[in-house]
Amino acid sequence: MFLGGGFLFLLLLSIRVVWASSGDRQISFQHCVQHCKQKCTEAKPLAFHLRLLLWTCESDCDYQCQRNITLRAQAIGKPVHQYHGKWPFIRIMGVQEPASVVFSILNGLMHLKSWKMVKNNLSTHPMRKWLCVFVVLGTWTWFCSAVFHIRDFPLTEKLDYFSAAINVLYMFFLGIVRVFRLDNWRQTQIVAIACAIPYILHVSYLSLVKFDYGYNMMANAVVGLLSNVVWLVVSIQAFRNSQPFWWKPIVLIVLTDLAFGLEAFDFAPFMDTFDAHSLWHAATIPIVSQWYNYLVEDAKWDAHLEKPHKN
Ligand SMILES: *[C@@H]1O[C@H](CO)[C@@H](O)[C@H](O)[C@H]1NC(C)=O
């Protein structure tokens, strides 16, 4: 587990946070964009679906030039460059990163589809309401992720980062609720406030002071690590209580860390569509589903422990 966490941590340290990329500095790219933009005043308006997704003649020039230069590079076997921190993906229906959008939506659906299972299986178990909140937060997070990958703007980026952070934090919160078997409102309220305060400070800092990518990543890494530790403790407790599936949180966390590890291999997208980031989103789809199965199974098992005589 610490291996998983440590791995995650090293990985985060190794990821470059560069938002101007080698492609932006290419003379051919700069010339292309400049030349294209000069024609923007007399150019005919963009297709309706592009305008709907807030493409402008200028941003379309940027896209067209990325694609043109990339196609030329590929034709002669030259390496593909990144532009503005991203690979030059093929745009589909005005969607910037179609693969990441599809995978984000599927992740969101995994949360949504768990609603019934959580609602119907846990009757009065205290974990039930927290899992319902998890469904709402998870769905919101992946909705924001989909929107961000449809069109990358400062606002959609913030929504994506802030919701992702609350998701990471909420996993930690759920773990704490589980470890201490918090079943009264007062106790959970204290933990919730203890989590909410740093979150509010985090969001305020990023939105009011400085949108600092390095710091944001560190903050998520630290909370992610803490969450790994808490779920490790859940596993150990479950092992001591001879829960037959005590190992599941460990497996899920290691799988999540490994999936995140895909991000480190920042390879040029295959089929001009699937990059490491989209694969990380793809990998979490089954993991989300397995988390819910585990969380519900675990809560049921816990309820069963409470009153073994009644079975
Ligand atoms: C991209 O290439 C196509 C075909 O070669 C050309 O018609 C178009 O003008 C180019 N676009 C830009 C923005 O240079």
Side-chain angles (χ1 to χ4, degrees):
M1 181 55 40
F2 281 103
L3 193 79
F7 177 65
L8 178 79
F9 202 68
L10 284 178
L11 204 77
L12 282 163
L13 289 176
S14 71
I15 289 178
R16 292 173 314 139
V17 186
V18 183
W19 302 96
S21 315
S22 54
D24 314 1
R25 289 190 296 270
Q26 287 175 300
I27 302 294
S28 54
F29 176 70
Q30 290 171 359
H31 279 171
C32 176
V33 173
Q34 201 179 17
H35 184 77
C36 175
K37 282 184 181 174
Q38 274 166 2
K39 292 187 288 188
C40 274
T41 42
E42 67 241 40
K44 62 176 182 351
L46 292 175
F48 176 71
H49 70 278
L50 294 180
R51 278 180 288 149
L52 193 68
L53 289 179
L54 308 179
W55 287 94
T56 60
C57 181
E58 283 77 13
S59 58
D60 193 56
C61 276
D62 197 278
Y63 170 76
Q64 300 295 350
C65 289
Q66 289 186 24
R67 290 302 312 159
N68 275 9
I69 288 170
T70 299
L71 284 174
R72 261 183 269 150
Q74 286 168 333
I76 55 169
K78 286 257 176 73
V80 169
H81 287 263
Q82 286 195 342
Y83 299 87
H84 322 299
K86 294 193 173 184
W87 292 106
F89 302 102
I90 291 180
R91 179 174 81 183
I92 298 180
M93 298 298 291
V95 170
Q96 262 179 315
E97 294 180 62
S100 286
V101 172
V102 169
F103 296 143
S104 295
I105 291 172
L106 291 176
N107 275 284
L109 287 177
M110 287 299 155
H111 281 277
L112 257 188
K113 92 172 169 70
S114 308
W115 178 261
K116 270 206 184 117
M117 181 173 67
V118 169
K119 272 276 186 196
N120 297 342
N121 276 292
L122 299 178
S123 61
T124 60
H125 194 281
M127 209 58 175
R128 183 172 180 254
K129 59 177 171 297
W130 300 119
L131 294 186
C132 287
V133 173
F134 189 41
V135 172
V136 174
L137 285 180
T139 307
W140 168 246
T141 297
W142 288 107
F143 171 77
C144 289
S145 172
V147 170
F148 171 60
H149 291 304
I150 289 173
R151 285 296 272 123
D152 170 4
F153 291 115
L155 177 68
T156 56
E157 183 180 48
K158 284 195 175 66
L159 284 175
D160 181 41
Y161 280 47
F162 296 164
S163 62
I166 208 167
N167 225 36
V168 174
L169 185 58
Y170 197 75
M171 272 317 286
F172 169 75
F173 169 79
L174 268 187
I176 293 284
V177 171
R178 185 64 193 88
V179 165
F180 296 104
R181 305 181 82 253
L182 300 179
D183 55 7
N184 76 52
W185 172 239
R186 254 192 90 72
Q187 294 169 319
T188 27
Q189 206 180 13
I190 292 167
V191 179
I193 292 171
C195 290
I197 291 172
Y199 178 73
I200 292 168
L201 290 175
H202 171 76
V203 168
S204 311
Y205 173 70
L206 289 177
S207 46
L208 303 174
V209 183
K210 183 169 171 236
F211 198 73
D212 181 335
Y213 293 97
Y215 154 75
N216 178 60
M217 210 177 267
M218 270 305 158
N220 280 301
V222 169
V223 178
L225 261 183
L226 290 175
S227 168
N228 279 9
V229 173
V230 171
W231 284 101
L232 172 66
V233 175
V234 172
S235 268
I236 294 170
Q237 273 186 350
F239 177 74
R240 291 219 182 114
N241 288 328
S242 344
Q243 188 187 55
F245 49 90
W246 60 272
W247 46 271
K248 283 194 181 174
I250 297 184
V251 170
L252 289 171
I253 278 182
V254 170
L255 286 178
T256 307
D257 292 351
L258 287 176
F260 185 74
L262 283 170
E263 290 257 48
F265 306 99
D266 200 9
F267 52 81
F270 55 90
M271 297 167 71
D272 287 7
T273 303
F274 301 96
D275 69 327
H277 185 75
S278 71
L279 294 185
W280 139 245
H281 286 339
T284 54
I285 299 166
I287 297 176
V288 168
S289 170
Q290 288 309 313
W291 262 114
Y292 277 101
N293 289 344
Y294 162 74
L295 288 165
V296 168
E297 191 183 17
D298 176 58
K300 276 168 134 177
W301 184 84
D302 180 64
H304 173 82
L305 260 198
E306 291 272 276
K307 23 185 165 34
H309 50 287
K310 284 185 197 158
N311 200 25

